[in-house]
């Protein structure tokens, strides 16, 4: 090898000049530069997303996640245990919300990066197809940013993000299980077990759907070393037993926690019953979205086709087209991040195109473009591979498995895991036997990254239950714990500081129980350091909200209820009835003193109009309140299943 290299260098200049120069993407310096700038683009996107973690807070769903994560051991009825999983991380990060969000981004990105890299290695193993480990990792990182599309709504960790992370771990395990190496295969089955455990901890309904898909995948695609599935089962069961002992100290108590959590979900009447979750939802594309998606698929696939077409006549043209499109994607991504998009484009993009419920489904442009371009390039070399088709089907089903059990639209909810739709498209792409996929993948990866930036930016412009563009927030304020600074709008900051000051001046101390009758203020309870009694969020607005509140209050001791403060919203759209206080012998008008009142901020809880909220503290002696509570509990008919055997075990 050394001699051949020196012999090449000893050739005369004339010989070298007369030698025909061919375009070799693997070793052309200018082409390698594209990988460098792709890596820089990924770093810019990650930096942008990590920076944006400082902005905004939702006082309902997101705040309830924080309550759950910060004090999970206060509740003994829960169908999801995500609070316990993230609790240690939250403590290690000193209860800093921004750091928690950033850690969530890094974890999700890293897991997706691993999954995509394993997928590319599995589908395009030949060096002629993907040149070099480093370049493959850069391409995988481009697609991995698509996993952060969940930042469109809520960046704080939740049962949704834990479910997604569990799915990524399981999918990576399935790909490793296919390896010929016994070591890799064992590692894969261990990851499948870990992913199954985390999925159950996050969302049992999704865990059941994931288990079914994984089993089909192993039987139809992997086949080899199928006996190692026992390893997965051992890992999952042992981790569940360990979790049960850590959380409740007993497997029986842990099962009762799950039973009562399910019972509470059914009682809320929010489509969480078995009949409610077994459904097939529809999706609707607006005319603008249809046209945009169609022409995007057509344009992207043709550009990729031309840039890949091997022909001497088109050599320079395809090279220029690739360069132009590459830099166009980079420029658009960076311009959106730094808010440099021309106004007429921004207006059309964010005010006309992305104004519908299923905007995240536009990520389908990427797999459809890949398949159309692959067909145009290699339709004559099509080799049907049943295993790859089965793999594609399994990946396509994962977003629905992720959404299984939610009370929202399955297509809209599943869009958060759009990376699996892309993975399914790539699995089908491999049947076209494309020889040179370097340019192919890098253009698709940049397009996928751009789509993610556009969608996440749209979420920042129209944040979930918050007012306006988050980048216009300009007030830094502590949220919950000292040092946990968030940048909020002036109205949100004023609402938060007013409520916090009112609680402090009224004598409220950290850790005191509080009952939320507003039905939508877990954020205020978290901010003032209250122990949110009953549930992390005493949610209102559902047919069974009052009954659920009564049921959960019954699970608390009379001592906690006797010392609990009240926050109320007399004319609130989600208000919980004051009559639930009768369950422990209390009356809001007799046994409590109003110590403060304040107005909510605009858009707090998703409602534009500000509403009056009031804070009450108990005025009875503790002994009197406890005695009244015990008497009331003896006389009031118990709500909910009275016998653990009556619980719906089959739901799990």
């Amino acid at each position: 090898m050394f001699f051949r290299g020196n012999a090449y260098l000893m050739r005369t200049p004339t010989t070298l000049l007369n030698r025909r120069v061919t375009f070799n993407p693997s070793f052309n310096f200018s082409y390698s530069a594209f990988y460098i700038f792709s890596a820089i683009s990924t770093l810019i996107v990650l930096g942008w997303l990590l920076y944006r973690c400082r902005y905004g807070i939702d006082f309902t769903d997101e705040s309830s996640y924080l309550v759950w994560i910060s004090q999970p051991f206060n509740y003994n009825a829960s169908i999801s245990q995500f609070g316990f999983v993230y609790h240690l991380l939250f403590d290690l990060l000193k209860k800093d919300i921004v750091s928690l969000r950033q850690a969530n981004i890094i974890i999700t990105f890293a897991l997706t990066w691993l999954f995509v890299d394993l997928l590319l290695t599995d589908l395009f193993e030949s060096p002629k197809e993907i040149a070099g480990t480093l370049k493959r990792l850069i391409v995988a990182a481009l697609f991995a940013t698509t996993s952060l599309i969940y930042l469109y709504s809520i960046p704080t960790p939740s049962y949704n993000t834990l479910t997604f992370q569990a799915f990524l771990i399981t999918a990576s395990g399935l790909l490793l299980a296919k390896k010929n190496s016994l070591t890799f295969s064992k590692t894969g089955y261990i990851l499948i077990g870990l992913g199954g455990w985390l999925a159950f901890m996050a969302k049992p309904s999704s865990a059941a759907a994931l288990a079914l898909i994984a089993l089909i995948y192993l039987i139809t695609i992997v086949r080899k070393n199928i006996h190692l599935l026992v390893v997965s089962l051992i890992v999952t069961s042992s981790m569940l037993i360990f979790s049960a002992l850590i959380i409740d100290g007993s497997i029986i108590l842990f099962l009762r926690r799950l039973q009562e959590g399910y019972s509470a979900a059914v009682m809320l009447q929010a489509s969480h019953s078995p009949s409610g979750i077994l459904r097939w939802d529809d999706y609707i594309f607006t005319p603008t979205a249809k046209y945009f998606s169609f022409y995007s698929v057509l344009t992207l696939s043709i550009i990729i086709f031309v840039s890949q077409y091997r022909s001497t006549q088109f050599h320079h043209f395809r090279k220029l087209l690739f360069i132009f499109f590459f830099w166009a994607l980079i420029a658009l991504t960076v311009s959106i991040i730094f808010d440099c998009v021309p106004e007429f484009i921004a207006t059309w993009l964010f005010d006309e195109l992305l104004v519908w419920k299923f905007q995240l489904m536009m990520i389908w442009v990427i797999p459809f473009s890949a398949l159309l371009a692959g067909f145009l390039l290699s339709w004559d070399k099509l080799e049907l591979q049943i295993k790859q088709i089965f793999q594609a089907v399994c990946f396509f089903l994962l977003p629905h498995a992720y959404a299984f059990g939610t009370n929202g639209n399955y297509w809209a909810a599943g869009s958060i895991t759009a990376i699996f739709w892309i993975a399914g498209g790539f699995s089908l792409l491999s049947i076209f036997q494309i020889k040179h996929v370097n340019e192919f993948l890098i253009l698709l990866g940049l397009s996928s990254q751009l789509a993610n930036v556009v969608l996440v930016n749209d979420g920042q412009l129209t944040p979930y239950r918050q007012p306006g563009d988050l980048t216009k927030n300009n007030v830094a304020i502590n949220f919950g714990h000292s040092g946990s600074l968030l940048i909020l709008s002036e109205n949100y900051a004023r609402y938060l500081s007013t409520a916090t000051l009112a609680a402090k001046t009224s004598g409220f101390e950290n850790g005191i129980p509080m009952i939320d009758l507003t039905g939508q203020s877990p954020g205020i309870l978290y901010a003032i350091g209250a122990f949110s009694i009953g549930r992390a969020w005493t949610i209102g607005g559902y047919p069974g909200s009052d009954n659920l509140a009564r049921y959960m209050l019954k699970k608390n001791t009379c001592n906690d209820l006797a010392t609990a403060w009240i926050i109320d919203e007399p004319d609130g759209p989600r208000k919980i009835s004051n009559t639930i206080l009768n369950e422990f012998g209390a009356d809001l008008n007799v046994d409590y003193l109003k110590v403060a009142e304040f107005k909510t901020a605009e858009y707090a809880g998703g409602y534009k109009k500000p509403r009056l909220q009031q804070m009450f503290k108990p005025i009875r002696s503790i002994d009197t309140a406890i005695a009244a509570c015990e008497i009331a509990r003896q006389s009031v008919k118990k709500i909910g299943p009275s016998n653990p055997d009556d619980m719906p075990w089959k739901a799990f």
Side-chain angles (χ1 to χ4, degrees):
M1 183 66 70
F2 178 79
F3 174 78
R4 290 179 62 187
N6 282 324
Y8 180 81
L9 293 174
M10 292 173 63
R11 293 179 182 177
T12 64
T14 304
T15 304
L16 291 175
L17 290 173
N18 291 336
R19 180 182 173 88
R20 183 182 178 185
V21 179
T22 58
F23 179 59
N24 188 337
S26 299
F27 300 98
N28 185 282
F29 174 77
S30 62
Y31 189 79
S32 297
F34 295 140
Y35 283 97
I36 295 174
F37 283 100
S38 296
I40 293 173
S41 174
T42 299
L43 290 175
I44 291 174
V45 171
L46 280 176
W48 172 65
L49 294 173
L50 292 173
Y51 176 79
R52 288 289 182 93
C53 288
R54 305 183 304 161
Y55 290 88
I57 187 71
D58 161 43
F59 287 116
T60 55
D61 295 75
E62 185 174 17
S63 292
S64 71
Y65 302 152
L66 290 171
V67 173
W68 241 116
I69 293 170
S70 63
Q71 49 188 23
F73 291 96
N74 286 342
Y75 310 105
N76 55 12
S78 54
I79 199 168
S80 173
Q81 319 311 322
F82 76 94
F84 297 100
V85 177
Y86 289 121
H87 178 65
L88 179 59
L89 176 63
F90 194 40
D91 280 349
L92 290 174
L93 296 173
K94 299 180 180 179
K95 303 186 185 300
D96 180 28
I97 297 172
V98 175
S99 297
L100 180 66
R101 291 172 172 177
Q102 292 173 338
N104 193 37
I105 288 175
I106 293 171
I107 291 170
T108 305
F109 175 79
L111 291 175
T112 312
W113 195 2
L114 171 65
F115 165 66
V116 176
D117 182 62
L118 290 173
L119 179 67
L120 295 180
T121 304
D122 176 63
L123 298 177
F124 310 107
E125 292 181 346
S126 170
K128 292 183 180 180
E129 295 173 333
I130 296 216
T133 301
L134 180 59
K135 292 180 179 180
R136 189 187 69 245
L137 287 172
I138 291 173
V139 171
L142 286 173
F143 287 104
T145 55
T146 307
S147 65
L148 304 179
I149 205 170
Y150 75 86
L151 296 170
Y152 173 84
S153 55
I154 295 177
T156 298
S158 66
Y159 66 92
N160 288 317
T161 57
L162 184 60
T163 305
F164 186 20
Q165 291 160 4
F167 273 46
L168 289 169
I169 292 172
T170 304
S172 298
L174 291 173
L175 291 172
L176 280 173
K178 293 173 62 178
K179 299 288 186 180
N180 293 323
S181 168
L182 184 60
T183 301
F184 281 123
S185 186
K186 286 181 179 178
T187 304
Y189 280 98
I190 291 173
L191 288 180
I192 292 170
L194 287 174
W197 163 65
L198 283 175
F200 187 88
M201 294 292 285
K203 192 178 173 189
S205 57
S206 292
L210 175 64
L212 178 61
I213 293 174
L215 183 61
I216 294 173
Y217 187 98
L218 292 172
I219 293 174
T220 60
I221 300 173
V222 177
R223 296 181 183 177
K224 66 183 72 172
N225 299 323
I226 194 70
H227 62 281
L228 292 177
L229 183 58
V230 176
V231 175
S232 301
L233 296 175
I234 291 174
V235 171
T236 300
S237 57
S238 61
M239 290 302 296
L240 284 174
I241 292 172
F242 177 75
S243 301
L245 296 177
I246 291 294
I247 294 171
D248 290 310
S250 164
I251 296 176
I252 298 299
L253 291 178
F254 184 72
L255 291 174
R256 184 172 298 174
R257 167 189 291 275
L258 294 172
Q259 293 171 348
E260 294 185 355
Y262 173 77
S263 180
V266 173
M267 192 178 298
L268 190 61
Q269 299 181 42
S271 301
H272 290 295
S273 63
S275 60
I277 64 177
L278 292 172
R279 65 182 191 274
W280 184 263
D281 293 328
D282 294 326
Y283 61 87
I284 301 174
F285 270 56
T286 63
T288 303
K290 286 181 181 178
Y291 293 133
F292 178 81
S293 299
F294 174 77
Y295 288 113
S296 293
V297 169
L298 191 62
T299 302
L300 182 56
S301 58
I302 290 176
I303 288 174
I304 293 175
F305 167 74
V306 174
S307 68
Q308 287 283 291
Y309 189 64
R310 261 39 187 186
S311 172
T312 304
Q313 292 81 1
F314 289 99
H315 170 69
H316 295 292
F317 174 73
R318 71 178 182 83
K319 188 174 180 181
L320 288 174
L321 181 65
F322 173 83
I323 294 172
F324 171 78
F325 193 55
F326 176 90
W327 289 113
L329 292 172
I330 293 284
L332 282 171
T333 301
V334 173
S335 63
I336 292 174
I337 288 175
F338 292 100
D339 196 22
C340 300
V341 183
E343 186 175 352
F344 73 95
I345 295 179
T347 300
W348 176 82
L349 186 63
F350 298 113
D351 294 344
E352 294 186 30
L353 180 61
L354 303 177
V355 290
W356 53 301
K357 183 177 180 180
F358 302 96
Q359 59 266 65
L360 299 187
M361 289 186 65
M362 293 182 68
I363 206 71
W364 273 96
V365 167
I366 305 303
F368 276 125
S369 299
L371 292 174
L372 180 55
F375 177 79
L376 293 174
L377 283 167
S378 304
W379 62 271
D380 56 334
K381 300 177 182 178
L382 178 65
E383 293 184 11
L384 291 178
Q385 301 176 38
I386 300 301
K387 285 188 176 182
Q388 296 305 98
I389 294 175
F390 271 114
Q391 178 168 288
V393 171
C394 287
F395 285 148
F396 282 139
L397 289 175
L398 283 179
H400 257 62
Y402 163 85
F404 184 63
T406 184
N407 62 346
N409 183 280
Y410 282 1
W411 287 102
S415 300
I416 299 295
T417 62
I419 188 65
F420 293 122
W421 287 334
I422 295 176
F426 281 179
S427 297
L428 291 179
L429 178 64
S430 63
I431 70 178
F432 291 112
Q433 302 298 312
I434 299 174
K435 293 183 178 180
H436 304 280
V437 297
N438 294 281
E439 302 166 4
F440 196 113
L441 291 174
I442 203 169
L443 291 182
L444 281 173
L446 286 169
S447 301
S448 175
Q449 189 175 86
L450 174 61
N452 176 63
V453 169
V454 169
L455 291 168
V456 172
N457 191 69
D458 179 55
Q460 299 281 325
L461 295 175
T462 56
Y464 182 71
R465 292 179 177 173
Q466 297 181 65
D469 185 354
L470 291 183
T471 60
K472 294 181 179 178
N473 292 357
N474 54 8
V475 181
I477 187 170
N478 277 314
F479 189 79
H481 298 274
S482 178
S484 185
L485 286 174
L486 295 178
I487 301 178
L488 307 180
S489 66
E490 292 183 3
N491 288 336
Y492 261 44
R494 186 182 304 113
Y495 170 43
L496 186 62
S497 59
T498 301
T500 305
L501 181 62
K504 184 177 180 180
T505 56
S506 301
F508 186 86
E509 296 180 0
N510 189 59
I512 292 179
M514 179 171 279
I515 299 172
D516 180 11
L517 295 182
T518 70
Q520 57 175 332
S521 299
I524 294 300
L525 273 65
Y526 179 84
I528 65 177
F531 162 33
S532 180
I533 200 166
R535 303 188 79 203
W537 178 9
T538 306
I539 187 170
Y542 289 94
S545 290
D546 287 354
N547 282 339
L548 176 59
R550 291 189 182 95
Y551 178 56
M552 299 310 294
L553 286 179
K554 280 182 171 293
K555 300 181 69 60
N556 290 269
T557 65
C558 283
N559 184 71
D560 284 340
L561 293 170
T563 58
W565 289 41
I566 306 288
I567 184 171
D568 190 24
E569 192 173 292
D571 299 318
R574 285 178 172 260
K575 176 178 168 51
I576 303 294
S577 173
N578 295 349
T579 60
I580 70 167
L581 303 181
N582 299 337
E583 300 297 321
F584 57 95
D587 188 315
L588 184 63
N589 298 318
V590 176
D591 302 317
Y592 295 86
L593 174 66
K594 183 173 68 175
V595 293
E597 62 180 20
F598 41 84
K599 287 288 189 71
T600 66
E602 291 184 356
Y603 294 101
Y607 300 96
K608 181 178 180 179
K609 184 179 178 181
R611 302 164 309 280
L612 179 69
Q613 290 188 338
Q614 300 172 332
M615 195 174 293
F616 299 83
K617 72 176 182 179
I619 56 177
R620 292 182 296 178
S621 68
I622 295 179
D623 291 339
T624 301
I626 291 176
C629 173
E630 292 174 348
I631 293 172
R633 286 189 164 179
Q634 292 175 1
S635 59
V636 177
K637 184 179 179 180
K638 186 174 182 179
I639 297 176
S642 58
N643 189 329
D645 294 334
D646 296 333
M647 296 288 187
W649 285 88
K650 62 179 68 179
F652 301 99

